[in-house]
Amino acid sequence: MDRKQIRSVPIRPEEITPKHIYQSRRQFLKNMGFVGMGALLASCAPGLTPPDELPTGLPTDFRTDNMNNLLTSYDAITGYCNFYEFTTDKETVDEKAQDFVTSPWSVAVTGLVENPRIFTMEEILEAYEQEERIYRMRCVEGWSMVIPWMGFPLQKLLEDVRPTSEAKFVLFESALVPGQMDNANSDLFPFPYLEGLRLDEAMHDLTILATGLYNEPLPPQNGAPIRLVVPWKYGFKSIKSIVRISLVPDQPPTLWNTIAPNEYGFYANVNPDVDHPRWSQATERRIGDAGRIPTLFMNGYAEEVMPLYEGMDLEENF
Ligand SMILES: Nc1nc2c(c(=O)[nH]1)N[C@H]1C(S)=C(S)[C@@H](COP(=O)(O)O)O[C@H]1N2
Ligand SMILES: [Mo]
């Protein structure tokens, strides 16, 4: 495929959340007996517009969709998850994470910054206007989704804490709550889950901190109340339920890169030409669709992100 043809494709606001998905989800949850008052209240929280009334004035620069114009359903996005602190079984993460306490919550932003700060979640939502970003998400395991996130550019938060000139990388840390996460003391994973970006990657317009999806607050299984989304990288970079962001001078150790450096590179840019040692990365299964589709270089965001990697050997720095 000619990579020049891969561009971000605009999507019409009215396509974003067909009313029937929104309603059928409620019915589904009710039938399953999942919905406590808390969940109902959260999804009707003030300030969140019901998806079927989504205003057309939302920022649209990064509304991109997949090759066949379909969003992954809310049920699939929230029912098929990777969140290893709870379980390695994708289909029961939602149940296991159901009682994860995500309020009150705060995020410490520390390290090489002039203005270190602990933000409460309320302060974050107040300070940074939430916008919609529809992104492809490609897991390193070979499946993908198209997800309508709500969030804001990480760049805005980083600018507010003013990284010093020594800051070159950003380290992110997930919450680790053994009493609430069944797999927290796993021998296989050296939790807390850590991830990192080079500072210029973290400052890129496409990099967001997400606080919602389908215009509702993030559910715990998707990384409530705040998680990273870096759409041109494999999904494992998009760390969930963040409690700390540190500006650091050197490339930080990260969970997957520490466990298996030959399989999971620090950069982890989606690249159909660089296979995982145990499987091809040339194609992917779009959840909800039959068959496989070609994986796009940089997950379809090459035009936007290639300037970050000028002169870099992408096979060596995979
Ligand atoms: N803390 C934490 N963050 C995580 C993970 C995890 O296990 N723990 N899994 C990662 C992986 S492998 C993927 S593919 C995405 C999945 O995000 P989703 O479940 O919201 O689709 O989250 C990433 N972030
Ligand atoms: Mo993943």
Side-chain angles (χ1 to χ4, degrees), residues 105 107 121 124-125 130-133 135 147-154 172 206-214 216-219 222-230 238-242 245:
W105 193 273
V107 181
M121 225 18 237
I124 288 175
L125 292 170
Q130 304 296 300
E131 55 183 271
E132 183 175 66
R133 298 286 182 98
Y135 285 157
I147 305 180
W149 301 106
M150 292 298 291
F152 62 96
L154 171 61
F172 304 85
L206 287 174
T207 304
I208 60 166
L209 287 173
T211 58
L213 62 83
Y214 267 110
E216 297 192 27
L218 282 180
N222 294 99
I226 186 163
R227 56 97 54 91
L228 185 69
V229 177
V230 195
S238 292
I239 181 172
K240 296 178 170 180
S241 304
I242 295 169
I245 298 175

mmCIF file of all heavy atoms in Angstrom, residues 105 107 121 124-125 130-133 135 147-154 172 206-214 216-219 222-230 238-242 245:
data_model
loop_
_atom_site.group_PDB
_atom_site.id
_atom_site.type_symbol
_atom_site.label_atom_id
_atom_site.label_comp_id
_atom_site.label_asym_id
_atom_site.label_seq_id
_atom_site.Cartn_x
_atom_site.Cartn_y
_atom_site.Cartn_z
ATOM 1 N N TRP A 105 -9.273 10.895 43.253
ATOM 2 C CA TRP A 105 -8.091 10.501 42.476
ATOM 3 C C TRP A 105 -7.207 11.717 42.290
ATOM 4 O O TRP A 105 -7.714 12.836 42.157
ATOM 5 C CB TRP A 105 -8.517 10.004 41.094
ATOM 6 C CG TRP A 105 -7.451 9.286 40.326
ATOM 7 C CD1 TRP A 105 -6.502 9.836 39.512
ATOM 8 C CD2 TRP A 105 -7.237 7.878 40.294
ATOM 9 N NE1 TRP A 105 -5.719 8.843 38.978
ATOM 10 C CE2 TRP A 105 -6.142 7.632 39.444
ATOM 11 C CE3 TRP A 105 -7.863 6.780 40.908
ATOM 12 C CZ2 TRP A 105 -5.654 6.354 39.183
ATOM 13 C CZ3 TRP A 105 -7.393 5.510 40.649
ATOM 14 C CH2 TRP A 105 -6.292 5.305 39.791
ATOM 15 N N VAL A 107 -3.249 12.976 40.409
ATOM 16 C CA VAL A 107 -2.103 12.655 39.563
ATOM 17 C C VAL A 107 -0.964 13.580 39.954
ATOM 18 O O VAL A 107 -1.093 14.802 39.874
ATOM 19 C CB VAL A 107 -2.438 12.849 38.072
ATOM 20 C CG1 VAL A 107 -1.242 12.488 37.194
ATOM 21 C CG2 VAL A 107 -3.664 12.039 37.665
ATOM 22 N N MET A 121 -8.414 15.039 40.204
ATOM 23 C CA MET A 121 -9.142 14.797 38.952
ATOM 24 C C MET A 121 -10.056 15.980 38.636
ATOM 25 O O MET A 121 -10.205 16.375 37.476
ATOM 26 C CB MET A 121 -9.963 13.528 39.134
ATOM 27 C CG MET A 121 -9.947 12.522 38.020
ATOM 28 S SD MET A 121 -8.655 12.594 36.817
ATOM 29 C CE MET A 121 -9.625 12.760 35.344
ATOM 30 N N ILE A 124 -8.099 18.671 37.021
ATOM 31 C CA ILE A 124 -7.764 18.348 35.631
ATOM 32 C C ILE A 124 -8.954 18.619 34.710
ATOM 33 O O ILE A 124 -8.824 19.254 33.657
ATOM 34 C CB ILE A 124 -7.298 16.874 35.515
ATOM 35 C CG1 ILE A 124 -5.905 16.736 36.143
ATOM 36 C CG2 ILE A 124 -7.296 16.399 34.066
ATOM 37 C CD1 ILE A 124 -5.375 15.320 36.204
ATOM 38 N N LEU A 125 -10.126 18.172 35.138
ATOM 39 C CA LEU A 125 -11.311 18.344 34.285
ATOM 40 C C LEU A 125 -11.687 19.814 34.151
ATOM 41 O O LEU A 125 -12.215 20.251 33.132
ATOM 42 C CB LEU A 125 -12.481 17.527 34.838
ATOM 43 C CG LEU A 125 -12.291 16.008 34.732
ATOM 44 C CD1 LEU A 125 -13.369 15.268 35.506
ATOM 45 C CD2 LEU A 125 -12.267 15.547 33.274
ATOM 46 N N GLN A 130 -12.209 19.260 27.534
ATOM 47 C CA GLN A 130 -12.264 17.903 26.989
ATOM 48 C C GLN A 130 -12.738 17.960 25.544
ATOM 49 O O GLN A 130 -13.700 18.636 25.231
ATOM 50 C CB GLN A 130 -13.225 17.044 27.821
ATOM 51 C CG GLN A 130 -12.872 17.012 29.306
ATOM 52 C CD GLN A 130 -11.526 16.373 29.568
ATOM 53 O OE1 GLN A 130 -11.307 15.220 29.238
ATOM 54 N NE2 GLN A 130 -10.609 17.129 30.164
ATOM 55 N N GLU A 131 -12.021 17.274 24.702
ATOM 56 C CA GLU A 131 -12.416 17.227 23.299
ATOM 57 C C GLU A 131 -12.482 15.781 22.840
ATOM 58 O O GLU A 131 -11.979 14.885 23.502
ATOM 59 C CB GLU A 131 -11.447 18.035 22.435
ATOM 60 C CG GLU A 131 -10.002 17.605 22.594
ATOM 61 C CD GLU A 131 -9.053 18.486 21.785
ATOM 62 O OE1 GLU A 131 -8.827 18.154 20.631
ATOM 63 O OE2 GLU A 131 -8.556 19.499 22.332
ATOM 64 N N GLU A 132 -13.130 15.599 21.715
ATOM 65 C CA GLU A 132 -13.266 14.236 21.216
ATOM 66 C C GLU A 132 -12.147 13.887 20.248
ATOM 67 O O GLU A 132 -11.779 14.701 19.402
ATOM 68 C CB GLU A 132 -14.600 14.090 20.519
ATOM 69 C CG GLU A 132 -14.817 12.682 20.044
ATOM 70 C CD GLU A 132 -16.190 12.541 19.467
ATOM 71 O OE1 GLU A 132 -16.434 13.166 18.423
ATOM 72 O OE2 GLU A 132 -17.002 11.839 20.068
ATOM 73 N N ARG A 133 -11.610 12.694 20.385
ATOM 74 C CA ARG A 133 -10.602 12.193 19.447
ATOM 75 C C ARG A 133 -10.982 10.766 19.066
ATOM 76 O O ARG A 133 -11.017 9.883 19.936
ATOM 77 C CB ARG A 133 -9.215 12.163 20.102
ATOM 78 C CG ARG A 133 -8.667 13.515 20.535
ATOM 79 C CD ARG A 133 -8.211 14.342 19.355
ATOM 80 N NE ARG A 133 -7.639 15.618 19.798
ATOM 81 C CZ ARG A 133 -6.332 15.847 19.933
ATOM 82 N NH1 ARG A 133 -5.454 14.899 19.699
ATOM 83 N NH2 ARG A 133 -5.898 17.035 20.314
ATOM 84 N N TYR A 135 -9.763 7.588 17.428
ATOM 85 C CA TYR A 135 -8.477 7.015 17.056
ATOM 86 C C TYR A 135 -8.576 5.515 16.814
ATOM 87 O O TYR A 135 -9.322 4.814 17.498
ATOM 88 C CB TYR A 135 -7.473 7.192 18.201
ATOM 89 C CG TYR A 135 -6.906 8.569 18.418
ATOM 90 C CD1 TYR A 135 -6.390 8.897 19.680
ATOM 91 C CD2 TYR A 135 -6.838 9.521 17.408
ATOM 92 C CE1 TYR A 135 -5.811 10.136 19.925
ATOM 93 C CE2 TYR A 135 -6.267 10.774 17.657
ATOM 94 C CZ TYR A 135 -5.747 11.067 18.906
ATOM 95 O OH TYR A 135 -5.192 12.301 19.150
ATOM 96 N N ILE A 147 -11.856 3.888 18.444
ATOM 97 C CA ILE A 147 -12.437 4.305 19.724
ATOM 98 C C ILE A 147 -12.651 5.812 19.779
ATOM 99 O O ILE A 147 -11.724 6.589 19.526
ATOM 100 C CB ILE A 147 -11.515 3.870 20.898
ATOM 101 C CG1 ILE A 147 -11.248 2.360 20.812
ATOM 102 C CG2 ILE A 147 -12.126 4.276 22.239
ATOM 103 C CD1 ILE A 147 -10.354 1.822 21.919
ATOM 104 N N PRO A 148 -13.870 6.246 20.099
ATOM 105 C CA PRO A 148 -14.105 7.684 20.296
ATOM 106 C C PRO A 148 -13.788 8.085 21.736
ATOM 107 O O PRO A 148 -14.589 7.871 22.644
ATOM 108 C CB PRO A 148 -15.602 7.841 19.993
ATOM 109 C CG PRO A 148 -16.215 6.503 20.289
ATOM 110 C CD PRO A 148 -15.122 5.454 20.210
ATOM 111 N N TRP A 149 -12.593 8.634 21.926
ATOM 112 C CA TRP A 149 -12.164 9.048 23.258
ATOM 113 C C TRP A 149 -12.641 10.454 23.552
ATOM 114 O O TRP A 149 -12.837 11.256 22.635
ATOM 115 C CB TRP A 149 -10.625 9.071 23.348
ATOM 116 C CG TRP A 149 -9.926 7.789 23.076
ATOM 117 C CD1 TRP A 149 -9.211 7.468 21.949
ATOM 118 C CD2 TRP A 149 -9.843 6.650 23.941
ATOM 119 N NE1 TRP A 149 -8.699 6.193 22.081
ATOM 120 C CE2 TRP A 149 -9.064 5.677 23.281
ATOM 121 C CE3 TRP A 149 -10.344 6.358 25.215
ATOM 122 C CZ2 TRP A 149 -8.785 4.431 23.846
ATOM 123 C CZ3 TRP A 149 -10.067 5.128 25.775
ATOM 124 C CH2 TRP A 149 -9.298 4.179 25.091
ATOM 125 N N MET A 150 -12.745 10.785 24.829
ATOM 126 C CA MET A 150 -12.801 12.181 25.268
ATOM 127 C C MET A 150 -11.503 12.410 26.028
ATOM 128 O O MET A 150 -11.058 11.532 26.775
ATOM 129 C CB MET A 150 -13.974 12.423 26.224
ATOM 130 C CG MET A 150 -15.347 12.296 25.583
ATOM 131 S SD MET A 150 -15.631 13.500 24.280
ATOM 132 C CE MET A 150 -15.720 15.028 25.246
ATOM 133 N N GLY A 151 -10.908 13.576 25.843
ATOM 134 C CA GLY A 151 -9.665 13.834 26.561
ATOM 135 C C GLY A 151 -9.078 15.170 26.148
ATOM 136 O O GLY A 151 -9.778 16.024 25.607
ATOM 137 N N PHE A 152 -7.790 15.320 26.403
ATOM 138 C CA PHE A 152 -7.122 16.594 26.079
ATOM 139 C C PHE A 152 -5.643 16.301 25.817
ATOM 140 O O PHE A 152 -5.103 15.300 26.284
ATOM 141 C CB PHE A 152 -7.291 17.600 27.230
ATOM 142 C CG PHE A 152 -6.671 17.142 28.527
ATOM 143 C CD1 PHE A 152 -5.393 17.563 28.891
ATOM 144 C CD2 PHE A 152 -7.330 16.256 29.364
ATOM 145 C CE1 PHE A 152 -4.811 17.130 30.080
ATOM 146 C CE2 PHE A 152 -6.751 15.811 30.548
ATOM 147 C CZ PHE A 152 -5.498 16.250 30.910
ATOM 148 N N PRO A 153 -5.010 17.187 25.055
ATOM 149 C CA PRO A 153 -3.602 16.950 24.732
ATOM 150 C C PRO A 153 -2.732 16.956 25.989
ATOM 151 O O PRO A 153 -2.806 17.895 26.798
ATOM 152 C CB PRO A 153 -3.224 18.127 23.824
ATOM 153 C CG PRO A 153 -4.529 18.646 23.304
ATOM 154 C CD PRO A 153 -5.533 18.379 24.381
ATOM 155 N N LEU A 154 -1.908 15.924 26.135
ATOM 156 C CA LEU A 154 -0.955 15.852 27.257
ATOM 157 C C LEU A 154 -0.071 17.101 27.281
ATOM 158 O O LEU A 154 0.312 17.608 28.334
ATOM 159 C CB LEU A 154 -0.101 14.587 27.098
ATOM 160 C CG LEU A 154 1.086 14.429 28.040
ATOM 161 C CD1 LEU A 154 0.636 14.369 29.500
ATOM 162 C CD2 LEU A 154 1.895 13.181 27.667
ATOM 163 N N PHE A 172 5.401 7.370 33.030
ATOM 164 C CA PHE A 172 4.026 7.296 33.549
ATOM 165 C C PHE A 172 3.901 6.071 34.437
ATOM 166 O O PHE A 172 4.456 5.011 34.129
ATOM 167 C CB PHE A 172 3.027 7.145 32.394
ATOM 168 C CG PHE A 172 3.112 8.234 31.364
ATOM 169 C CD1 PHE A 172 4.039 8.148 30.319
ATOM 170 C CD2 PHE A 172 2.281 9.333 31.426
ATOM 171 C CE1 PHE A 172 4.123 9.147 29.355
ATOM 172 C CE2 PHE A 172 2.356 10.336 30.461
ATOM 173 C CZ PHE A 172 3.278 10.243 29.431
ATOM 174 N N LEU A 206 -1.167 14.568 18.783
ATOM 175 C CA LEU A 206 -2.001 13.360 18.797
ATOM 176 C C LEU A 206 -2.015 12.676 20.165
ATOM 177 O O LEU A 206 -2.879 11.846 20.429
ATOM 178 C CB LEU A 206 -1.498 12.350 17.749
ATOM 179 C CG LEU A 206 -1.766 12.655 16.277
ATOM 180 C CD1 LEU A 206 -1.067 11.625 15.394
ATOM 181 C CD2 LEU A 206 -3.267 12.647 15.990
ATOM 182 N N THR A 207 -1.043 12.988 21.006
ATOM 183 C CA THR A 207 -0.929 12.310 22.309
ATOM 184 C C THR A 207 -1.894 12.933 23.307
ATOM 185 O O THR A 207 -1.798 14.130 23.595
ATOM 186 C CB THR A 207 0.512 12.433 22.836
ATOM 187 O OG1 THR A 207 1.396 11.909 21.854
ATOM 188 C CG2 THR A 207 0.678 11.680 24.147
ATOM 189 N N ILE A 208 -2.814 12.121 23.806
ATOM 190 C CA ILE A 208 -3.796 12.682 24.739
ATOM 191 C C ILE A 208 -3.831 11.920 26.064
ATOM 192 O O ILE A 208 -3.399 10.769 26.157
ATOM 193 C CB ILE A 208 -5.231 12.685 24.152
ATOM 194 C CG1 ILE A 208 -5.709 11.263 23.809
ATOM 195 C CG2 ILE A 208 -5.310 13.600 22.948
ATOM 196 C CD1 ILE A 208 -7.211 11.179 23.557
ATOM 197 N N LEU A 209 -4.336 12.610 27.069
ATOM 198 C CA LEU A 209 -4.784 11.955 28.284
ATOM 199 C C LEU A 209 -6.296 11.825 28.116
ATOM 200 O O LEU A 209 -6.994 12.823 27.899
ATOM 201 C CB LEU A 209 -4.435 12.787 29.523
ATOM 202 C CG LEU A 209 -2.946 12.781 29.881
ATOM 203 C CD1 LEU A 209 -2.670 13.766 31.017
ATOM 204 C CD2 LEU A 209 -2.469 11.384 30.271
ATOM 205 N N ALA A 210 -6.784 10.585 28.164
ATOM 206 C CA ALA A 210 -8.211 10.348 27.951
ATOM 207 C C ALA A 210 -8.906 10.194 29.295
ATOM 208 O O ALA A 210 -8.376 9.589 30.227
ATOM 209 C CB ALA A 210 -8.415 9.103 27.099
ATOM 210 N N THR A 211 -10.108 10.778 29.353
ATOM 211 C CA THR A 211 -10.907 10.704 30.578
ATOM 212 C C THR A 211 -12.288 10.100 30.296
ATOM 213 O O THR A 211 -13.064 9.888 31.211
ATOM 214 C CB THR A 211 -11.114 12.117 31.172
ATOM 215 O OG1 THR A 211 -11.763 12.922 30.172
ATOM 216 C CG2 THR A 211 -9.785 12.759 31.539
ATOM 217 N N GLY A 212 -12.566 9.845 29.029
ATOM 218 C CA GLY A 212 -13.873 9.287 28.691
ATOM 219 C C GLY A 212 -13.843 8.570 27.367
ATOM 220 O O GLY A 212 -12.852 8.650 26.617
ATOM 221 N N LEU A 213 -14.907 7.834 27.101
ATOM 222 C CA LEU A 213 -15.084 7.262 25.770
ATOM 223 C C LEU A 213 -16.572 7.205 25.475
ATOM 224 O O LEU A 213 -17.388 7.105 26.393
ATOM 225 C CB LEU A 213 -14.391 5.903 25.628
ATOM 226 C CG LEU A 213 -14.768 4.707 26.461
ATOM 227 C CD1 LEU A 213 -15.971 3.972 25.887
ATOM 228 C CD2 LEU A 213 -13.587 3.742 26.496
ATOM 229 N N TYR A 214 -16.923 7.303 24.205
ATOM 230 C CA TYR A 214 -18.330 7.420 23.809
ATOM 231 C C TYR A 214 -19.029 8.496 24.651
ATOM 232 O O TYR A 214 -20.159 8.327 25.089
ATOM 233 C CB TYR A 214 -19.055 6.079 23.929
ATOM 234 C CG TYR A 214 -19.055 5.269 22.636
ATOM 235 C CD1 TYR A 214 -18.310 4.098 22.525
ATOM 236 C CD2 TYR A 214 -19.805 5.689 21.546
ATOM 237 C CE1 TYR A 214 -18.312 3.363 21.345
ATOM 238 C CE2 TYR A 214 -19.820 4.951 20.367
ATOM 239 C CZ TYR A 214 -19.073 3.803 20.270
ATOM 240 O OH TYR A 214 -19.090 3.080 19.104
ATOM 241 N N GLU A 216 -18.799 9.336 27.641
ATOM 242 C CA GLU A 216 -19.085 9.009 29.037
ATOM 243 C C GLU A 216 -17.757 8.885 29.760
ATOM 244 O O GLU A 216 -16.738 8.622 29.130
ATOM 245 C CB GLU A 216 -19.811 7.665 29.130
ATOM 246 C CG GLU A 216 -21.158 7.670 28.460
ATOM 247 C CD GLU A 216 -21.956 6.424 28.829
ATOM 248 O OE1 GLU A 216 -21.723 5.860 29.917
ATOM 249 O OE2 GLU A 216 -22.789 6.022 28.019
ATOM 250 N N PRO A 217 -17.767 9.037 31.099
ATOM 251 C CA PRO A 217 -16.512 8.853 31.830
ATOM 252 C C PRO A 217 -15.938 7.462 31.545
ATOM 253 O O PRO A 217 -16.689 6.517 31.321
ATOM 254 C CB PRO A 217 -16.936 8.969 33.298
ATOM 255 C CG PRO A 217 -18.236 9.692 33.282
ATOM 256 C CD PRO A 217 -18.900 9.340 31.985
ATOM 257 N N LEU A 218 -14.623 7.341 31.569
ATOM 258 C CA LEU A 218 -14.005 6.040 31.339
ATOM 259 C C LEU A 218 -14.495 5.047 32.372
ATOM 260 O O LEU A 218 -14.520 5.355 33.563
ATOM 261 C CB LEU A 218 -12.482 6.131 31.528
ATOM 262 C CG LEU A 218 -11.608 6.721 30.440
ATOM 263 C CD1 LEU A 218 -10.156 6.677 30.917
ATOM 264 C CD2 LEU A 218 -11.762 5.957 29.139
ATOM 265 N N PRO A 219 -14.846 3.828 31.956
ATOM 266 C CA PRO A 219 -15.103 2.804 32.949
ATOM 267 C C PRO A 219 -13.762 2.252 33.471
ATOM 268 O O PRO A 219 -12.740 2.402 32.804
ATOM 269 C CB PRO A 219 -15.875 1.728 32.179
ATOM 270 C CG PRO A 219 -15.588 1.953 30.747
ATOM 271 C CD PRO A 219 -15.111 3.373 30.585
ATOM 272 N N ASN A 222 -11.209 0.359 31.297
ATOM 273 C CA ASN A 222 -10.506 1.087 30.242
ATOM 274 C C ASN A 222 -9.525 2.127 30.791
ATOM 275 O O ASN A 222 -8.975 2.920 30.029
ATOM 276 C CB ASN A 222 -11.495 1.741 29.279
ATOM 277 C CG ASN A 222 -12.291 0.719 28.487
ATOM 278 O OD1 ASN A 222 -13.431 0.416 28.848
ATOM 279 N ND2 ASN A 222 -11.711 0.152 27.453
ATOM 280 N N GLY A 223 -9.317 2.104 32.119
ATOM 281 C CA GLY A 223 -8.276 2.966 32.669
ATOM 282 C C GLY A 223 -8.750 4.188 33.398
ATOM 283 O O GLY A 223 -8.037 5.193 33.465
ATOM 284 N N ALA A 224 -9.956 4.115 33.973
ATOM 285 C CA ALA A 224 -10.495 5.246 34.738
ATOM 286 C C ALA A 224 -9.544 5.612 35.872
ATOM 287 O O ALA A 224 -8.863 4.750 36.399
ATOM 288 C CB ALA A 224 -11.877 4.872 35.317
ATOM 289 N N PRO A 225 -9.532 6.894 36.249
ATOM 290 C CA PRO A 225 -10.287 7.974 35.607
ATOM 291 C C PRO A 225 -9.486 8.674 34.505
ATOM 292 O O PRO A 225 -10.034 9.505 33.804
ATOM 293 C CB PRO A 225 -10.531 8.947 36.762
ATOM 294 C CG PRO A 225 -9.303 8.791 37.619
ATOM 295 C CD PRO A 225 -8.885 7.350 37.504
ATOM 296 N N ILE A 226 -8.201 8.295 34.341
ATOM 297 C CA ILE A 226 -7.388 8.996 33.342
ATOM 298 C C ILE A 226 -6.290 8.076 32.844
ATOM 299 O O ILE A 226 -5.615 7.413 33.630
ATOM 300 C CB ILE A 226 -6.843 10.320 33.936
ATOM 301 C CG1 ILE A 226 -6.107 11.153 32.875
ATOM 302 C CG2 ILE A 226 -5.950 10.077 35.152
ATOM 303 C CD1 ILE A 226 -5.904 12.615 33.272
ATOM 304 N N ARG A 227 -6.149 8.005 31.515
ATOM 305 C CA ARG A 227 -5.140 7.130 30.907
ATOM 306 C C ARG A 227 -4.551 7.826 29.686
ATOM 307 O O ARG A 227 -5.117 8.777 29.156
ATOM 308 C CB ARG A 227 -5.753 5.781 30.539
ATOM 309 C CG ARG A 227 -6.964 5.778 29.612
ATOM 310 C CD ARG A 227 -6.659 5.529 28.144
ATOM 311 N NE ARG A 227 -5.919 4.365 27.792
ATOM 312 C CZ ARG A 227 -6.447 3.166 27.491
ATOM 313 N NH1 ARG A 227 -7.746 2.989 27.545
ATOM 314 N NH2 ARG A 227 -5.675 2.179 27.125
ATOM 315 N N LEU A 228 -3.392 7.305 29.301
ATOM 316 C CA LEU A 228 -2.720 7.839 28.125
ATOM 317 C C LEU A 228 -3.284 7.184 26.866
ATOM 318 O O LEU A 228 -3.683 6.016 26.905
ATOM 319 C CB LEU A 228 -1.223 7.501 28.256
ATOM 320 C CG LEU A 228 -0.266 8.041 27.202
ATOM 321 C CD1 LEU A 228 -0.122 9.562 27.309
ATOM 322 C CD2 LEU A 228 1.113 7.388 27.373
ATOM 323 N N VAL A 229 -3.318 7.947 25.754
ATOM 324 C CA VAL A 229 -3.620 7.338 24.453
ATOM 325 C C VAL A 229 -2.622 7.894 23.427
ATOM 326 O O VAL A 229 -2.551 9.103 23.209
ATOM 327 C CB VAL A 229 -5.072 7.616 23.992
ATOM 328 C CG1 VAL A 229 -5.308 7.012 22.607
ATOM 329 C CG2 VAL A 229 -6.081 7.042 24.992
ATOM 330 N N VAL A 230 -1.828 6.997 22.878
ATOM 331 C CA VAL A 230 -0.821 7.360 21.867
ATOM 332 C C VAL A 230 -1.116 6.526 20.629
ATOM 333 O O VAL A 230 -0.664 5.396 20.503
ATOM 334 C CB VAL A 230 0.611 7.045 22.365
ATOM 335 C CG1 VAL A 230 1.645 7.758 21.500
ATOM 336 C CG2 VAL A 230 0.790 7.411 23.816
ATOM 337 N N SER A 238 -0.225 2.793 25.885
ATOM 338 C CA SER A 238 -1.316 3.644 26.375
ATOM 339 C C SER A 238 -1.733 3.224 27.785
ATOM 340 O O SER A 238 -2.767 2.599 28.009
ATOM 341 C CB SER A 238 -2.489 3.599 25.391
ATOM 342 O OG SER A 238 -2.124 4.229 24.175
ATOM 343 N N ILE A 239 -0.927 3.598 28.722
ATOM 344 C CA ILE A 239 -1.019 3.164 30.125
ATOM 345 C C ILE A 239 -2.285 3.704 30.802
ATOM 346 O O ILE A 239 -2.679 4.851 30.589
ATOM 347 C CB ILE A 239 0.272 3.600 30.858
ATOM 348 C CG1 ILE A 239 0.283 3.180 32.319
ATOM 349 C CG2 ILE A 239 0.493 5.105 30.745
ATOM 350 C CD1 ILE A 239 1.633 3.446 33.002
ATOM 351 N N LYS A 240 -2.859 2.839 31.628
ATOM 352 C CA LYS A 240 -4.162 3.140 32.251
ATOM 353 C C LYS A 240 -4.041 3.645 33.694
ATOM 354 O O LYS A 240 -3.038 3.400 34.363
ATOM 355 C CB LYS A 240 -5.004 1.866 32.267
ATOM 356 C CG LYS A 240 -5.353 1.358 30.874
ATOM 357 C CD LYS A 240 -6.154 0.072 30.926
ATOM 358 C CE LYS A 240 -6.688 -0.271 29.546
ATOM 359 N NZ LYS A 240 -7.471 -1.512 29.556
ATOM 360 N N SER A 241 -5.099 4.270 34.158
ATOM 361 C CA SER A 241 -5.264 4.651 35.569
ATOM 362 C C SER A 241 -3.979 5.249 36.142
ATOM 363 O O SER A 241 -3.385 4.742 37.087
ATOM 364 C CB SER A 241 -5.719 3.443 36.388
ATOM 365 O OG SER A 241 -6.908 2.901 35.845
ATOM 366 N N ILE A 242 -3.580 6.375 35.557
ATOM 367 C CA ILE A 242 -2.289 7.008 35.874
ATOM 368 C C ILE A 242 -2.345 7.752 37.213
ATOM 369 O O ILE A 242 -3.280 8.508 37.478
ATOM 370 C CB ILE A 242 -1.905 7.995 34.748
ATOM 371 C CG1 ILE A 242 -1.663 7.220 33.445
ATOM 372 C CG2 ILE A 242 -0.671 8.811 35.124
ATOM 373 C CD1 ILE A 242 -1.536 8.131 32.222
ATOM 374 N N ILE A 245 3.174 11.170 36.817
ATOM 375 C CA ILE A 245 3.846 11.510 35.563
ATOM 376 C C ILE A 245 5.140 12.203 35.960
ATOM 377 O O ILE A 245 5.106 13.212 36.677
ATOM 378 C CB ILE A 245 2.967 12.453 34.710
ATOM 379 C CG1 ILE A 245 1.641 11.763 34.343
ATOM 380 C CG2 ILE A 245 3.710 12.894 33.448
ATOM 381 C CD1 ILE A 245 0.644 12.656 33.596
#
